Amino acid sequence: MKKKVFLLALLLPFYGKSQISVQAYGGNKETELLGIYSKDFNQKWNYFASGTISYDYDTKKVNPEVYQNVNYGIGKNWGVSAGVHISREDIMPSVGLAYGKENDVFGINVFPALTYSTDAKNFGLGLYTLLEYTPKINEKLNFYSMLIVESDFSFKEHQSSSQVIRIGLENKKKMQWGIGSNISQTGGDFDTDVNFGLFIGKKF
């Protein structure tokens, strides 16, 4: 049952015909496909999802993961949020706040939340942040940058964190390419792993 729920949730970020961003990333340690989907159903309701499928060169394992939530607006740019973070190791439901703001060159989504690990049977705190900055360079190109920050803490210690960094260019058709890194920290000692590489993406 856990696997069926996971596979269904993994498909949700890629469903729909608009507001989708897809990036392929090739690093020195693993390859990753990233999909981000956001849709406003009306002035109050919003659905947001971020999903990845990665392949580790050393372990030869495929690791799917998805973060998704439903948000309800309660004020200017602010809302309440309920969602779930699913990986091969855990299913982690959450409730918290949502903050979102976007204009022609800058976008931000922040989701601080109270979480519950169904694997460890512990409550904790989580944070998901997505930043994009795409100022115009000339009539054909924009500078493109993206930062995704995720952190999970139990009430006793740090569990895991990750940072996705992308820097490059974007053309008028919303094609993106450049360099990047995936950085992760685990445990109370913040054991760090860094994966450098190149990316190519498209926003629909």
Side-chain angles (χ1 to χ4, degrees):
M1 180 64 183
K2 188 174 180 179
K3 290 184 178 179
K4 290 181 180 179
V5 172
F6 173 74
L7 291 173
L8 175 63
L10 186 63
L11 293 174
L12 287 175
F14 301 99
Y15 178 78
K17 297 181 179 180
S18 64
Q19 301 185 60
I20 299 174
S21 179
V22 178
Q23 288 185 1
Y25 178 72
N28 63 309
K29 295 183 179 180
E30 66 178 25
T31 298
E32 178 185 273
L33 180 65
L34 166 67
I36 299 170
Y37 178 68
S38 179
K39 182 171 182 62
D40 294 326
F41 293 102
N42 53 43
Q43 293 184 346
K44 292 290 186 179
W45 291 98
N46 167 268
Y47 172 75
F48 177 89
S50 173
T52 60
I53 300 175
S54 61
Y55 175 75
D56 189 288
Y57 305 144
D58 290 334
T59 64
K60 302 187 185 304
K61 289 184 177 180
V62 176
N63 297 304
E65 188 171 354
V66 65
Y67 172 86
Q68 58 184 340
N69 54 38
V70 176
N71 310 295
Y72 180 78
I74 57 174
K76 186 177 181 181
N77 302 321
W78 284 96
V80 292
S81 178
V84 62
H85 185 180
I86 306 173
S87 67
R88 292 178 58 147
E89 294 79 23
D90 203 357
I91 295 178
M92 190 178 298
S94 64
V95 292
L97 298 174
Y99 178 82
K101 188 174 183 179
E102 184 175 357
N103 57 37
D104 292 340
V105 299
F106 179 76
I108 179 171
N109 289 279
V110 182
F111 304 104
L114 174 68
T115 64
Y116 179 74
S117 170
T118 58
D119 180 63
K121 310 299 182 185
N122 284 331
F123 286 96
L125 298 173
L127 176 67
Y128 179 97
T129 302
L130 168 64
L131 296 167
E132 284 188 292
Y133 181 55
T134 56
K136 184 176 179 180
I137 297 175
N138 54 41
E139 294 301 320
K140 295 183 178 181
L141 294 173
N142 296 331
F143 171 77
Y144 178 79
S145 62
M146 182 182 75
L147 173 65
I148 298 176
V149 178
E150 290 188 76
S151 293
D152 289 305
F153 293 82
S154 71
F155 287 122
K156 295 181 179 180
E157 65 177 4
H158 170 262
Q159 300 296 310
S160 64
S161 295
S162 65
Q163 300 85 44
V164 174
I165 302 168
R166 302 289 185 263
I167 298 174
L169 298 173
E170 178 184 75
N171 65 17
K172 293 179 69 174
K173 295 183 178 180
K174 300 298 182 179
M175 287 290 300
Q176 304 138 1
W177 62 93
I179 61 174
S181 66
N182 290 2
I183 306 169
S184 63
Q185 301 86 26
T186 56
D189 294 330
F190 288 81
D191 295 330
T192 301
D193 183 73
V194 182
N195 180 39
F196 292 104
L198 304 173
F199 78 93
I200 184 169
K202 168 72 173 176
K203 186 175 289 187
F204 300 90

